[in-house]
Amino acid sequence: MWIFSWKGPTGFSASSTAEEVTRGIEAYGLTAIITGPTSGIGLETARILVLRGVHVVMAVRNTTAGQKVKQELINEIPKAKIDVMELDVASLKSVNKFVAAYKSTGFPINILIANAGVMAPPFTLTEDNIELQFATNHIGHFHLTNGLLDIMKNTAEKSGIEGRIVILSSELHKMSYKEGVRFDQINDEKSYTPLLAYGQSKLANALHAKELARRLKEEGANITVNSLHPGVIATNLARHTAWMRLIFGYIVRLMLKNVEQGASTTCYLALNPGAKGISGEYWADNNISSPSGFVNDPEFVKKFWDFSVDLIERTLTSSSL
């Protein structure tokens, strides 16, 4: 149970809150993009970054909800600098539109947080004919990150400040299908198991961070990339199944983190000086942790990267997005 966790090498633990891991940090002049910032740990992450002086760009599917959250944050933190932009990470068309719109603003990017996600829904294909969890949790963020990398590289080079990419994974990435990733069955309804498919999409997040970190290091780019497990948190991610609502809502509530604790590792990786220069790692409870063996298999990681690139290229070509 997290409540009994000891502090790790960073000096923080599972019970540390996002406010605690960023206490004393002033991040005025930095700009961050956060996906899925209108509820749960995404909202708490946005609040903490704004509190520390970051200009936060909220990438939201529902702009009405986004504007409402923006006003609530400004009411709480009058100095808040927030912009709301439309983005549905489950749609490559929406990702392309967001990237084009963001480039037109002229905003820099110091921090990119891939937070939006969906957990264990019934089998569904997106408008791009990609299974919903894989599309939302991985493919959309993969395409978004690639589309914004040039801005991040330029920002890091001109400012001399390390860029940070933070990708939310989950301990359930270790409970994917036995093959890790079903390259030939991503969209196969017959073999679809909601929770295993969720694990697959979260494994994808850790694989993405691992290979992108390697590539950026090879280029000499001043950008780090890390993935993380936020903890088991009672959020609306569990809304798709009755048994998950029961478990998360009642049975183990005393063993769950609250959102303030759940957002802490994200905020640590985004802002804390202790994470400076650390890249390609998988984190949990504000400390480096051990990922699935697939993440430490260079051949598998590269195969997965190439698969993601190819899937996006084929999708964009077929739809002419």
Side-chain angles (χ1 to χ4, degrees):
M1 290 172 57
W2 62 262
I3 197 168
F4 298 121
S5 296
W6 294 94
K7 291 182 179 179
T10 64
F12 299 107
S13 70
S15 61
S16 299
T17 66
E19 286 205 26
E20 289 170 349
V21 303
T22 60
R23 184 167 291 145
I25 294 173
E26 293 189 359
Y28 295 95
L30 299 187
T31 299
I33 296 175
I34 308 176
T35 66
T38 57
S39 65
I41 58 177
L43 173 55
E44 177 65 3
T45 299
R47 187 184 76 84
I48 293 299
L49 265 60
V50 166
L51 184 66
R52 303 310 181 205
V54 178
H55 169 204
V56 170
V57 178
M58 300 171 60
V60 301
R61 186 172 56 179
N62 183 330
T63 54
T64 300
Q67 291 293 347
K68 182 175 182 291
V69 168
K70 173 184 175 178
Q71 189 56 55
E72 290 171 352
L73 288 174
I74 290 174
N75 290 344
E76 178 186 351
I77 309 166
K79 66 180 181 181
K81 186 177 182 182
I82 304 171
D83 281 279
V84 176
M85 296 182 66
E86 184 176 6
L87 172 64
D88 178 359
V89 288
S91 163
L92 292 178
K93 179 179 180 180
S94 179
V95 172
N96 284 344
K97 184 177 179 182
F98 177 89
V99 170
Y102 195 90
K103 288 180 177 179
S104 72
T105 67
F107 293 154
I109 309 173
N110 302 97
I111 303 163
L112 174 60
I113 300 176
N115 169 80
V118 61
M119 182 180 185
F123 180 82
T124 307
L125 290 176
T126 67
E127 64 183 38
D128 299 315
N129 289 316
I130 302 173
E131 188 274 312
L132 179 62
Q133 293 190 88
F134 198 73
T136 303
N137 299 348
H138 169 60
I139 288 295
H141 285 118
F142 185 90
H143 191 47
L144 175 70
T145 303
N146 286 344
L148 297 173
L149 265 182
D150 284 345
I151 301 176
M152 288 203 74
K153 290 175 184 177
N154 290 336
T155 301
E157 183 177 354
K158 291 179 180 178
S159 67
I161 299 171
E162 176 184 87
R164 298 189 180 186
I165 298 173
V166 182
I167 302 174
L168 272 75
S169 179
S170 166
E171 271 295 284
L172 287 178
H173 83 276
K174 298 174 182 176
M175 294 178 61
S176 178
Y177 298 105
K178 64 179 181 180
E179 309 95 318
V181 176
R182 291 187 162 182
F183 294 103
D184 298 322
Q185 295 178 289
I186 290 294
N187 301 324
D188 182 32
E189 183 174 5
K190 291 183 179 179
S191 64
Y192 177 79
T193 303
L195 204 55
L196 293 180
Y198 177 74
Q200 176 178 249
S201 72
K202 295 287 98 180
L203 173 58
N205 295 143
L207 294 167
H208 177 199
K210 190 73 172 183
E211 178 64 5
L212 181 56
R214 185 194 69 78
R215 288 169 177 255
L216 290 172
K217 183 177 180 180
E218 193 174 74
E219 290 178 28
N222 188 22
I223 301 173
T224 62
V225 192
N226 290 281
S227 62
L228 68 102
H229 168 56
V232 183
I233 305 152
T235 71
N236 62 3
L237 263 184
R239 66 186 178 276
H240 289 291
T241 60
W243 67 269
M244 288 175 66
R245 288 197 300 273
L246 177 64
I247 290 174
F248 283 98
Y250 301 102
I251 298 175
V252 294
R253 180 167 294 277
L254 291 177
M255 297 171 63
L256 301 181
K257 289 185 178 183
N258 56 40
V259 292
E260 292 82 6
Q261 294 161 335
S264 65
T265 306
T266 301
C267 291
Y268 180 89
L269 290 172
L271 292 180
N272 197 290
K276 182 175 175 59
I278 301 174
S279 194
E281 299 290 351
Y282 171 74
W283 294 67
D285 300 332
N286 296 293
N287 289 276
I288 294 174
S289 188
S290 299
S292 157
F294 290 109
V295 181
N296 290 322
D297 181 343
E299 291 186 8
F300 189 88
V301 174
K302 185 179 185 305
K303 179 181 180 181
F304 180 74
W305 180 279
D306 292 342
F307 169 78
S308 299
V309 170
D310 182 64
L311 177 58
I312 290 171
E313 288 181 348
R314 284 188 285 110
T315 302
L316 294 176
T317 299
S318 64
S319 60
S320 300
L321 293 180

